[in-house]
Amino acid sequence: MVNTNTFRNQERQIVLIVFGIMLIRAVFLFLMGPMPQDAYYFFYSQHLALSYFDHPPMIAYILSLFTTVLGKHVVAIKLADTVTTVLTIVLFYRLSKCFLGHKQASKALLLLLSTFMVTILSLISTPDVPLLMFWALSLNFLYQAVFNNKNLYWIWAGIAMGLTFDSKYTGIFIPAGLILFLLLSDVHRKRFLSIWFWLAVLSFFITILPVIIWNVQHDFASFKFQSTARMNDPGMHLQIKYFLGLVGHQSFILMPILLGSILYFSYRVLKSKQFNPLKLDSKKQFLLCFSLPMILCFVLVSFFAWVKLNWIMPAYLSAIILVSLYLSDKWLRVQVVFSALIHVLLAFEIIFYPVQVKSDDTWYGWNQLSDQVKTLQKKYATYFVFSADTYKTSAELNLY
């Protein structure tokens, strides 16, 4: 009885800490100015299209919906990110309960909520915001189709996977992960012969038609930009600093404890079967197929090119569920407390701005800049104002 009460008290403490983290995130919604990414994708939403040069269109549609209903201001933009991320969290928890008991599913939820990844997603507009929501939705549908034999869910899964791709091109790792899982699984390999699997494939291609049509109309400009153009970058050569940078910023968005746990327990699961994924339990195969390939792919890329901190985010959803099978309550508490401290420091930085950001990648000062530009516009009415520092200043001035 004593141990049960002790655990319940500790669980309450963890829940209170995580609630505090979520409260801080809600405060950020009203305190933060727009990041350049917010302004940039708001510009997308002002010019809706089937797709765009550098990304598919889903973030534009979501921002357009929220700013049309709530008005064209910063809080409406950030609220779109927050609401979408809350849906991601709900879908993640539902998925967790498919693989874990109640206690372990709660652990998985606490781990996800403790990450800085969720903070970024809920406060900054990027294609990753809808990407993770539809990724989580796809995994929920695929679980029902594969493990519960609900045939109609194959079609829903195909649509959800298509919407994932319509959010960001890295959504292609979802159908790739499905194919890898079916190839590895002796039990489920027969799905390739099922009409329902091919209906999922058809649903996927129908759902991504807008992006394909846009690319056909524009000489495949977006596909080329995100593939051959990046691969042909003359700056691409072996550089260990890029890999170290990857480790550094992934430790930042997950917290070092969670990142280390994902790597360690993934290794342990594979090692337990002598590195033979064919011998793994089907559900563990499923989780690994939607996490490890994406992680390994970008780790390899990081030796030759800079991998941005958000590129691996989707892989962590199933990886966190896998880790929750093994991570002790002690390390969970350490993760959550460390996360709370980092979020308090971040809140202090946003409210009081003691450390100035020496970059245009900031939330601070854009309103003042826009006032100065308006003054210049009035003084020099026959001239026009532009900026030549990529997209960020132009996007922010457009927003204001």
Side-chain angles (χ1 to χ4, degrees), residues 73-86:
H73 49 77
V74 177
V75 172
I77 294 170
K78 291 190 178 295
L79 190 62
D81 305 322
T82 299
V83 170
T84 305
T85 302
V86 168

Side-chain angles (χ1 to χ4, degrees), residues 192-207:
F192 283 122
L193 303 176
S194 167
I195 184 64
W196 293 104
F197 170 79
W198 292 104
L199 285 173
V201 173
L202 179 62
S203 301
F204 171 77
F205 280 107
I206 290 173
T207 309

Side-chain angles (χ1 to χ4, degrees), residues 114 251 255-257 333-343:
S114 70
S251 297
M255 309 298 159
I257 293 160
R333 288 194 296 274
V334 174
Q335 164 79 10
V336 173
V337 171
F338 184 76
S339 173
L341 291 173
I342 294 296
H343 279 82

Side-chain angles (χ1 to χ4, degrees), residues 299-339:
V299 166
L300 289 174
V301 170
S302 73
F303 285 101
F304 301 95
W306 181 254
V307 173
K308 294 184 180 180
L309 95 170
N310 54 341
W311 288 0
I312 311 179
M313 283 182 178
Y316 295 138
L317 295 182
S318 51
I320 287 172
I321 295 174
L322 184 67
V323 162
S324 300
L325 286 166
Y326 306 100
L327 191 68
S328 68
D329 294 333
K330 171 190 172 183
W331 288 112
L332 173 65
R333 288 194 296 274
V334 174
Q335 164 79 10
V336 173
V337 171
F338 184 76
S339 173

